[in-house]
């Protein structure tokens, strides 16, 4: 993950963005004693973009690959042992979302040039797992009482703001150093 990462977020002024941003902070404070870092709600489209990539060029290229307005559907909450995928929301992997992620990876991720097309396509089909992380943490397993609390909060959140959004914001983020200090280098609203 160190380097640059391309993110897709809900529109920043949308109710779902604000609700997810607030939930990420609340989960850190209430269930992890403030030890889990705060970050903006996002779907990572791809990482492994070299640090010397031109931020504006990356954003413009990614946006140019979108053929129709993106519709993002959150499906359910999931848990896993990986630090960056501890507590997260699964997102439906639509052809449009997969293509956006795959094209950005093919063009900019640090892949061997002769294999970039095949490697990016295989990654898009077999490995790309779109999701919105809610907690980054080393804690594992997640206790059942925490899961019950999280799922109740999500039920309330989704009843208030829904589980879907259209468009959003593509951002290029320098994912080096402490999570709460990752800078956004460029962005474009869709």
């Amino acid at each position: 993950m160190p380097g640059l990462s391309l993110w897709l977020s809900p529109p920043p002024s949308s109710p779902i963005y604000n609700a997810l941003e607030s939930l990420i902070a609340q989960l850190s404070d209430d269930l992890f004693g403030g030890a889990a870092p705060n970050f903006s709600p996002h779907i990572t489209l791809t990482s492994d973009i070299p640090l010397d990539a031109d931020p504006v060029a990356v954003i413009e290229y990614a946006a140019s690959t979108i053929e129709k307005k993106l519709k993002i559907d959150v499906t359910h909450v999931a848990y896993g042992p990986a630090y960056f995928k501890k507590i997260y929301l699964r997102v439906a992997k639509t052809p449009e979302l997969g293509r956006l992620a795959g094209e950005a990876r093919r063009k900019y991720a640090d892949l061997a040039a002769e294999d970039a097309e095949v490697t990016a396509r295989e990654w898009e089909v077999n490995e790309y797992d779109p999701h919105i992380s809610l907690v980054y943490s080393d804690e594992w397993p997640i206790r059942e009482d925490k899961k019950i609390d999280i799922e109740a909060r999500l039920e309330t959140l989704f009843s208030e703001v829904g589980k879907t959004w259209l468009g959003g914001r593509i951002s290029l983020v320098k994912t080096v150093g402490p999570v709460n200090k990752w800078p956004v280098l460029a962005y474009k609203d869709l």
Side-chain angles (χ1 to χ4, degrees):
M1 174 171 284
L4 303 179
S5 294
L6 191 63
W7 291 1
L8 174 66
S9 301
S13 60
S14 67
I16 195 166
Y17 181 95
N18 295 326
L20 289 171
E21 184 177 51
S22 179
L23 179 64
I24 289 166
Q26 289 169 7
L27 292 177
S28 174
D29 291 344
D30 298 350
L31 301 182
F32 292 85
N38 287 324
F39 50 90
S40 300
H42 66 277
I43 300 166
T44 299
L45 296 170
T46 191
S47 52
D48 301 320
I49 298 172
L51 287 167
D52 62 354
D54 176 356
V56 173
V58 173
I59 293 295
E60 290 300 327
Y61 177 78
S64 77
T65 68
I66 300 170
E67 296 174 1
K68 66 179 192 175
K69 194 143 187 119
L70 291 172
K71 181 181 179 201
I72 304 300
D73 293 305
V74 174
T75 59
H76 63 278
V77 67
Y79 307 88
Y83 178 83
F84 290 110
K85 221 169 150 184
K86 189 65 57 189
I87 302 169
Y88 58 99
L89 299 172
R90 290 221 175 262
V91 172
K93 185 176 172 181
T94 63
E96 295 80 19
L97 183 58
R99 184 173 43 259
L100 171 59
E103 282 297 313
R105 187 163 185 85
R106 180 191 61 75
K107 177 92 170 169
Y108 287 105
D110 195 9
L111 306 171
E114 65 276 359
D115 295 333
E117 185 72 39
V118 171
T119 303
R121 181 69 181 137
E122 288 174 354
W123 173 85
E124 175 188 335
V125 171
N126 300 320
E127 295 179 41
Y128 183 55
D129 181 24
H131 64 278
I132 302 167
S133 290
L134 299 175
V135 173
Y136 296 162
S137 173
D138 288 321
E139 182 178 316
W140 188 251
I142 302 299
R143 294 188 335 243
E144 282 304 311
D145 61 320
K146 287 185 178 182
K147 288 181 181 181
I148 291 168
D149 187 327
I150 291 162
E151 290 164 21
R153 292 177 194 226
L154 286 169
E155 185 175 329
T156 300
L157 182 148
F158 292 137
S159 73
E160 293 172 356
V161 300
K163 298 171 84 173
T164 301
W165 78 80
L166 295 174
R169 174 178 281 181
I170 298 177
S171 302
L172 189 67
V173 180
K174 185 175 181 182
T175 50
V176 176
V179 171
N180 60 351
K181 295 187 182 204
W182 288 350
V184 173
L185 303 178
Y187 69 87
K188 183 175 183 106
D189 291 326
L190 303 174

